[in-house]
Each structure stands twice: as structure tokens, then as C-alpha cells.
Amino acid sequence: MNNTPVTLKFLAEKLKMSVSTVSKALNNYPTINEYTKKRVQEMARDLHFTPNKSAINLKERKSRIIGVILPNLLDHFFTRSIYGVEQFATQNGYNIIISQSHDDLQKEIQSANMLLRSRVDGLIVAISKNTQDFSHLDQFENLGIPVVYYTRNPSFNLNCHKVLGNTFQGCYQATKFLIDRGHKKIAYIGGPKMINFTHDRFNGYINALKDNGLSFDADLVAYTDFDKENTISAIKNLFANPANNPTAIVAFKEPILFDAIKYLRNIKHPNINEIECVGFGNNSFISYLDSPPVASIEENPESVGENAISLLLKLINKEIDLDNYQKIMVDCKLVVHED
Amino acid sequence: MNNTPVTLKFLAEKLKMSVSTVSKALNNYPTINEYTKKRVQEMARDLHFTPNKSAINLKERKSRIIGVILPNLLDHFFTRSIYGVEQFATQNGYNIIISQSHDDLQKEIQSANMLLRSRVDGLIVAISKNTQDFSHLDQFENLGIPVVYYTRNPSFNLNCHKVLGNTFQGCYQATKFLIDRGHKKIAYIGGPKMINFTHDRFNGYINALKDNGLSFDADLVAYTDFDKENTISAIKNLFANPANNPTAIVAFKEPILFDAIKYLRNIKHPNINEIECVGFGNNSFISYLDSPPVASIEENPESVGENAISLLLKLINKEIDLDNYQKIMVDCKLVVHED
DNA sequence: CAAATTATTTCAAACGTTTGAAATCTATTA
DNA sequence: TAATAGATTTCAAACGTTTGAAATAATTTG
């Protein structure tokens, strides 16, 4: 229970020298005598001196903290992306404070304000489902604190920095893959229409069809808002009319496929073993499923995170101007599941 | 791009009053005139004054930040526990900095040092697999900063605060559940022997057997270190001798069961549909499996997290003495999967 | 209306650093 | 050996708050 905190002043008194000498010695200033440095550094080590970050932040007018706001940590996409952010941030001497909005605008505003008070040097944010107004985030840019939107972003607004998964390319590739495997009737199950990239993915699907001489059939397309009931009914519709009879499915998200597969097994669909599925996610539990998806669209969340923090750091270091808005697309990778 | 930061001084100049009046007005001091308060607060709002946390921390000698060190965020147990921690911390005006050790001691030491520099007011930690030496964590307590170990903890050391899942009770309950369903030959697949609660869980299993008049059979017990190959071979062993022929399995972790189920299906085990499994986890993907576990042992990670932060806050507020070591057990709940 | 209260505001130091400028010490040069 | 240059150390202000003590203003009292 060492009560007196070990500060520069404390070290200075012990060593009978001034606070500035101690500070400079620890920061390896060239004007400080080598022997003095050695003495100071040894004493600092022995007494477990730990520089007070608050004091440094106050003095340097920065915090070396990056704020991250995201909907939640239960979604593997986000936790994996955090991995990339943390890795890169730590390497560059930054810490991150993660704050979950739980897809609630009020909570997101609270988080933003808290991070503003903490004087974060930059912000990485995946907005909540119902963020329409951005004033709580705009305040950062108004103060010169860079903001990078990643994944979930204000799609209509071009005047912000964005790092996104190239969801068009991912969906295109997946559809093409199924076409190459001989499928002619490929169904598409999309996500909620208000989510940014619902459209991009759909376009990837459409374009792949067109580029490969398949015609688009509206009856092969369904949407779900991820609600289980909703998903099931979308799937039912898709298979209701025997004229459709898709032999393959591309899905917005893998869990949709899991529901689809379960449904098809339940109704004992005659072609269950021929139907091939691909979805966004690459969930590690796939290998335990009985009729697993043939492939997954891996969104490389770590890479998305790393690109976001890397861009943010460039903005912080003024290597890129704040108003020189960047948009970075991170390619997806099709992972084929052998068995 | 507002360049001059809005500080108390800035407000004071605008309002032609002293910095202390402004400060006290914002903090609602009773000695400050109501009208003055109103003027100050309005100006602060209009100019988007945001108090500088570094300055406050420096002055108050605390950070209102709680450090959390955990192995990783990919494990749902931890992300769910974070939910509880964050919730409770935010309610009490604390922020959390999460740092992943990736089960690497060096990284854990780094994280600890970083959090020490950040002058966290308290620490919650789930230690890495190979943490034997605790000096990097002991420094916190030496400085009077409370540390609460949760889940993964130094089992041999009683002189520390701990919040743990009641893994004995969970395993007991699960085994009892299977016994009540008529099983006589219940296998147990345990985790790595060096993990703290491997023993507790095993004891839960054993005690449930004994308390219900079943004799313990060493042939029905296997261990795995979670490595896939290792798990498979453990399962093989269990079913190799037809004399064993377990009709139920209790597993240390659900993924073990997934492997087991997959294996049994692969080898077309004759009693596949009669074998009932229970494991720790309550993974949401269970519902998609073809022969899913009959029940899950839900460890209530949110509650574990909440208990950890709640204890930590009591230690910070000196409602509990630092050396009055606490051990809190959070009960598990058996979740039966209907179908 | 001066003195005593009470209400309100301001002063000034402190928290723990950093850093340019000034001061001091040491060694070199003429 | 005094002047100069170079090496090293110290001074002092600043970062943005908080807060007890001191100062001032406004009000009440005798």
C-alpha cells in the first residue's frame, strides 16, 4: 500500500534534481547527460514510476485514445473487426474505448458525448439502425476530430470518410460461383431494405446473372428483416410455387440460410441434397450443419477494421485532409467449404 | 472548424466573470447566484462546452475508467459478460477500456501496464491461459487500485477478489437432469486439466451420480484440450468399447458436443437418436443442428459481468475493504430445448 | 447610517506533465 | 586568465479543471 504516488516531482526530490531534468531524462532528451539519464531511469524503474496519462493528455492536448461506437459485441462481424482495430491501434500507441449503442439512437448519442468528453483523438463508428440525424457525430468533425464510418454508414452522405465491405463484389462472386456450378435458378434472400448495402448485394446478384446470360426472375427474390418468422415466411414463398423451384440460394446473411436449410429439411424437400447455398458470414459452426452451405462470403472484418483505423490515423496525423473524403472498399473472399 | 477550444476560461471571458464562478455555476454550487448559473449554463450549452476529462481526472486523481482485460472478444461468454459490465459501469458514470490478451501473457502484461498508465480506478480481469506470475496485476493492488478476477482466476490464490460461475452447480444440475430422464450411463467430457474449473465441473458430475445412486465409471470420462483432433479422439475412446455404450453426455463446453454429435452421425451410431447431450454454453446455433443437445447449461455471463463490476465499484468506493477478499459464485441455469 | 450579516464572486494553488528560454557549470581557446 | 563556446541543468509557464479561503457586494439590523 504505497500511498504517495510516484510522480516526476517525487523522483526529482529523491534524486535531488529538478523536475524538468527528470522529465527530459525519461524522454531521452539529447541535452541531458548520459549518466544522469541512467540514474533517473534506474530510479524510475526501481520505484515503479508510471507516467500519469491524464497529465500528459492535458499538456499535449490529445488523448491517444480512439473511440469506437458500434451496435453490439455479440455480432461476430463487429468483434472480428475490433480485432483489426485494436491490433493496429496498439501498434501505433493508441488505446481504444469501445462503446455499444445496442442499436439505440439515444445510447449512441450518450456514447458519442462520453467519448467527446474523453477527448478521443478520433472516432470509428458503425451507426445504429435508426440513426437519421448525425449532429452527435458531426460535433467531432466540427472540433477537428476525424470520424470514420465503417460498415454501417450514412449512405446518402458522401461527405464523410467510409470504410466498407465490398458487398457488391462479394455477392457477385458468390452468384457467379453458383452459376459456374451449373445452377440456372438461383434464389436471392435479401436483408431489410433500409440497410445500406441491401441494394449493393442485390446488384451484385443481378449483375452476375446478367453477365452470365441468365435472366432475372423476380419470383426468385425475397426479403427478410432478420426476424425469424419473417425469414421463414420469405423462404416459404420462395419455394411455394413449384414453377420457381430454385436449386441454389444466395443469402444476405448466413443465419438466413440456416433457417432455410432447416425449413427445407423439415418439409423434406425432395431436392434437399442438390440445393446449394451461399451467404455472407463464414460462421465457424457451419461445419456442424448437416446440409451446410457450399461456400461462404467472407467479409474480412479484421481487414475492414484495420482499414478504418489506418485511415483514421492518417487523418489524425494530417496525412490526409479532413475534408478530402475517402471511401475505401474492402473486398470479400469466397470461401468454399470442402467436405 | 472551431479552432479555439471552448474551455472554462473561454466561457469566463465571454461572460466577463472568473473561471471559478463558471466552474461552480456549472457544478451547481449553492453559493452561486441562480441568475448567474442560468447565464453560464446557457452559454455553455450554446457554445457546446465539453469539460475536459483529462483535466478533471488530473485534479481529482481518478479517471472514472474501469479496465477490463480478457482473453478475447470472439468468445461469446466474454462478450456477453462485457454487456453486464458496460451496462452497470455506464449507469454509475464509469467508462470501460477493454483490452484483449489473446491468451498471451506478454500481451496481458502490456495491457496491464497500459491500463496502469491510464490510471484506471479499478480492474476486472480474466487471466490468460498461461498466467502463472501475477506481478503485473499485483501492482494495481499495491497502488490501492482494486482488482476483481472473473471466470479465469488464480485458483490457488485465496487472497484476491473473485467472481465465478458456479460451475459445480451447473454440472450437477445437468447430470441430475439426465439421470432424471432415465439415463444410467452418462459420459463426461472435460476440458484441459489446468483450467480452474475443470475440477469443479467434474465434481458436479460425480456428486450428482453419487447423490442419485449411480456408480462412477472411469471409462465414461474423457478429457480434451479443445483441439479438434484431441476432442475427436476423446469421443472415439468413449465409444470404442461397446461395454461402455453411454446413452448421454455431459460436456465441458458445447462445441465438444457438436464434434461428438457429428462424429456419431458420421459413424452412423445405432443409438444416435437416443443419445442425449448437455453442455456448457447455450449457443444460439443449437437450434440448427440435426440432433441437438437436449439442454444447455447457461452460465449467465451478463450476470457474472455485473457481479464483477458491482463488487469492483464497492471496492472503489471503499464500501468493502481491499483486503477483505470476496468470492462470489453466480449460479448456472439449465435451459431445456423443447422441440 | 454604521456595523454586522449574508450572499456572491474572485483569488490562488494544486493536480502531473512538457518544453522553450534562461541560467549555470565545464572545457576550450586566444 | 579572461572570454567564449559547449554541455547540462533549472526556471517558469502552460494545459483545463476544482475548491477552500479571501474579497467584495448586497442586505439586514440596531
Side-chain angles (χ1 to χ4, degrees):
Chain A
M1 301 291 168
N2 191 348
N3 289 343
T4 37
V6 181
T7 64
L8 288 185
K9 194 174 158 199
F10 185 78
L11 289 182
E13 278 160 11
K14 282 263 173 206
L15 290 158
K16 297 198 194 316
M17 47 177 84
S18 77
V19 172
S20 30
T21 307
V22 176
S23 170
K24 287 174 178 171
L26 289 173
N27 289 306
N28 210 25
Y29 268 52
T31 69
I32 302 294
N33 182 283
E34 285 305 320
Y35 176 61
T36 312
K37 280 185 193 170
K38 192 158 166 281
R39 283 211 305 143
V40 172
Q41 280 157 10
E42 273 172 6
M43 179 69 77
R45 178 161 14 86
D46 293 350
L47 265 49
H48 301 107
F49 168 73
T50 316
N52 184 316
K53 248 189 134 233
S54 294
I56 297 176
N57 294 346
L58 178 59
K59 188 82 235 293
E60 311 220 305
R61 294 155 148 277
K62 58 180 187 180
S63 62
R64 294 216 147 240
I65 294 179
I66 302 297
V68 180
I69 301 180
L70 37 73
N72 69 73
L73 287 171
L74 298 178
D75 184 329
H76 257 44
F77 180 89
F78 290 119
T79 43
R80 285 180 58 193
S81 72
I82 287 299
Y83 186 94
V85 174
E86 204 207 27
Q87 191 102 326
F88 200 89
T90 310
Q91 275 167 25
N92 288 273
Y94 283 82
N95 294 135
I96 62 177
I97 293 188
I98 304 167
S99 192
Q100 305 183 61
S101 69
H102 302 294
D103 259 323
D104 172 38
L105 178 59
Q106 285 315 312
K107 185 82 183 52
E108 183 176 287
I109 293 175
Q110 271 179 35
S111 299
N113 289 335
M114 169 291 264
L115 292 170
L116 199 62
R117 275 195 297 282
S118 296
R119 292 288 188 280
V120 293
D121 293 343
L123 188 67
I124 294 179
V125 48
I127 60 177
S128 90
K129 262 181 199 152
N130 30 36
T131 303
Q132 305 282 335
D133 177 89
F134 291 84
S135 45
H136 57 298
L137 299 170
D138 289 342
Q139 15 172 17
F140 287 84
E141 290 224 314
N142 292 337
L143 289 168
I145 302 172
V147 177
V148 170
Y149 291 86
Y150 88 115
T151 307
R152 302 242 211 114
N153 69 95
S155 51
F156 50 86
N157 186 355
L158 299 174
N159 290 331
C160 58
H161 302 278
K162 301 179 181 186
V163 176
L164 311 172
N166 193 344
T167 202
F168 171 92
Q169 168 263 347
C171 213
Y172 185 101
Q173 206 180 342
T175 311
K176 173 89 164 56
F177 169 78
L178 290 170
I179 296 171
D180 289 348
R181 285 174 79 90
H183 293 282
K184 306 282 181 208
K185 295 196 144 211
I186 303 171
Y188 175 79
I189 306 177
K193 292 194 183 167
M194 60 279 194
I195 288 196
N196 326 112
F197 28 72
T198 296
H199 260 79
D200 298 329
R201 294 192 184 175
F202 180 66
N203 284 335
Y205 164 73
I206 292 289
N207 278 48
L209 291 183
K210 289 206 177 130
D211 290 356
N212 292 277
L214 288 181
S215 64
F216 164 61
D217 178 355
D219 285 346
L220 288 175
V221 175
Y223 288 92
T224 171
D225 62 2
F226 301 145
D227 178 76
K228 199 146 195 147
E229 311 255 312
N230 204 281
T231 304
I232 304 279
S233 82
I235 297 163
K236 268 189 188 155
N237 281 342
L238 224 43
F239 285 88
N241 183 353
N244 294 340
N245 213 27
T247 64
I249 307 174
V250 178
F252 189 84
K253 245 187 169 195
E254 266 166 358
I256 298 175
L257 290 182
F258 302 164
D259 279 318
I261 292 167
K262 192 177 179 184
Y263 170 77
L264 293 175
R265 292 181 71 87
N266 277 350
I267 65 163
K268 301 202 197 310
H269 187 96
N271 303 329
I272 177 84
N273 291 316
E274 278 69 53
I275 294 176
E276 295 193 316
C277 304
V278 183
F280 280 84
N282 199 16
N283 189 300
S284 59
F285 286 93
I286 277 184
S287 64
Y288 298 114
L289 289 176
D290 255 305
S291 322
V294 278
S296 295
I297 307 166
E298 166 62 72
E299 301 175 84
N300 295 312
E302 292 86 354
S303 172
V304 175
E306 200 175 305
N307 273 279
I309 178 80
S310 156
L311 169 57
L312 188 67
L313 257 39
K314 281 182 195 144
L315 290 163
I316 290 175
N317 298 328
K318 305 205 188 304
E319 291 165 35
I320 297 178
D321 280 349
L322 250 189
D323 51 5
N324 176 11
Y325 293 109
Q326 304 285 314
K327 181 173 180 180
I328 298 176
M329 303 292 267
V330 177
D331 273 358
C332 298
K333 192 180 149 200
L334 196 76
V335 177
V336 180
H337 302 298
E338 334 260 351
D339 227 352
Chain B
M1 302 290 166
N2 191 347
N3 289 342
T4 37
V6 181
T7 64
L8 288 184
K9 194 174 158 199
F10 185 78
L11 290 181
E13 278 161 11
K14 283 263 174 205
L15 290 158
K16 299 198 195 312
M17 47 178 85
S18 76
V19 171
S20 31
T21 308
V22 176
S23 169
K24 288 174 178 170
L26 290 173
N27 289 306
N28 209 28
Y29 268 52
T31 69
I32 301 295
N33 182 283
E34 285 304 321
Y35 176 62
T36 312
K37 280 184 193 171
K38 194 158 164 279
R39 284 211 304 142
V40 172
Q41 280 158 8
E42 273 172 7
M43 178 69 78
R45 179 162 13 87
D46 294 349
L47 266 50
H48 300 107
F49 169 73
T50 315
N52 185 317
K53 248 188 134 234
S54 294
I56 297 176
N57 294 345
L58 178 59
K59 189 80 231 293
E60 312 220 304
R61 292 154 149 277
K62 59 181 183 177
S63 62
R64 294 216 149 240
I65 294 178
I66 303 297
V68 181
I69 301 180
L70 38 72
N72 69 73
L73 288 171
L74 297 178
D75 185 328
H76 257 43
F77 179 90
F78 291 118
T79 44
R80 284 180 58 192
S81 70
I82 287 299
Y83 186 94
V85 175
E86 204 207 28
Q87 192 102 327
F88 200 89
T90 310
Q91 275 167 26
N92 288 274
Y94 284 82
N95 293 134
I96 62 176
I97 294 189
I98 304 166
S99 191
Q100 306 183 61
S101 70
H102 302 293
D103 258 323
D104 172 38
L105 178 58
Q106 285 315 310
K107 184 83 183 50
E108 183 176 286
I109 293 175
Q110 271 179 34
S111 299
N113 290 335
M114 170 290 264
L115 292 170
L116 199 63
R117 274 195 297 280
S118 297
R119 292 289 189 279
V120 292
D121 293 343
L123 187 68
I124 294 179
V125 49
I127 60 177
S128 90
K129 263 179 199 155
N130 30 36
T131 303
Q132 306 282 335
D133 177 88
F134 292 83
S135 45
H136 58 297
L137 298 170
D138 290 341
Q139 13 172 21
F140 287 84
E141 291 223 315
N142 291 338
L143 289 169
I145 302 172
V147 176
V148 171
Y149 290 86
Y150 88 115
T151 309
R152 301 242 210 117
N153 70 96
S155 52
F156 50 85
N157 186 355
L158 298 174
N159 290 331
C160 57
H161 302 277
K162 301 179 182 186
V163 176
L164 311 172
N166 192 344
T167 201
F168 171 91
Q169 168 263 348
C171 213
Y172 185 101
Q173 206 180 342
T175 311
K176 173 88 164 55
F177 168 78
L178 290 170
I179 296 170
D180 288 348
R181 285 175 77 92
H183 293 281
K184 306 280 180 210
K185 297 197 141 208
I186 303 171
Y188 175 79
I189 306 177
K193 293 195 183 167
M194 61 280 195
I195 288 195
N196 327 110
F197 28 73
T198 295
H199 259 79
D200 297 329
R201 294 193 184 175
F202 180 67
N203 284 336
Y205 163 75
I206 292 288
N207 279 48
L209 291 182
K210 289 202 176 136
D211 290 355
N212 292 277
L214 289 181
S215 64
F216 165 62
D217 179 355
D219 286 344
L220 288 175
V221 175
Y223 288 93
T224 171
D225 61 2
F226 302 144
D227 178 76
K228 197 145 197 151
E229 311 252 313
N230 204 280
T231 303
I232 304 280
S233 83
I235 297 163
K236 268 188 188 157
N237 282 341
L238 225 42
F239 286 88
N241 183 354
N244 294 341
N245 213 26
T247 64
I249 308 174
V250 177
F252 189 84
K253 243 189 171 194
E254 266 167 358
I256 297 175
L257 289 182
F258 302 164
D259 279 319
I261 292 168
K262 191 176 180 185
Y263 171 76
L264 292 175
R265 293 181 70 86
N266 277 349
I267 65 162
K268 300 200 195 312
H269 187 96
N271 303 330
I272 177 84
N273 291 318
E274 278 69 52
I275 295 177
E276 295 193 316
C277 306
V278 182
F280 281 84
N282 199 15
N283 189 300
S284 59
F285 285 92
I286 278 184
S287 64
Y288 298 115
L289 290 177
D290 256 303
S291 322
V294 278
S296 295
I297 307 165
E298 167 63 71
E299 301 175 83
N300 295 311
E302 292 86 354
S303 173
V304 175
E306 200 175 305
N307 274 280
I309 178 81
S310 156
L311 169 58
L312 189 67
L313 257 40
K314 281 182 194 143
L315 291 164
I316 290 175
N317 299 328
K318 305 205 187 304
E319 292 165 35
I320 297 178
D321 280 349
L322 250 188
D323 50 6
N324 176 10
Y325 293 108
Q326 305 286 313
K327 181 174 179 178
I328 298 176
M329 302 292 268
V330 177
D331 273 358
C332 298
K333 193 180 149 199
L334 196 76
V335 176
V336 180
H337 303 296
E338 336 258 349
D339 225 351

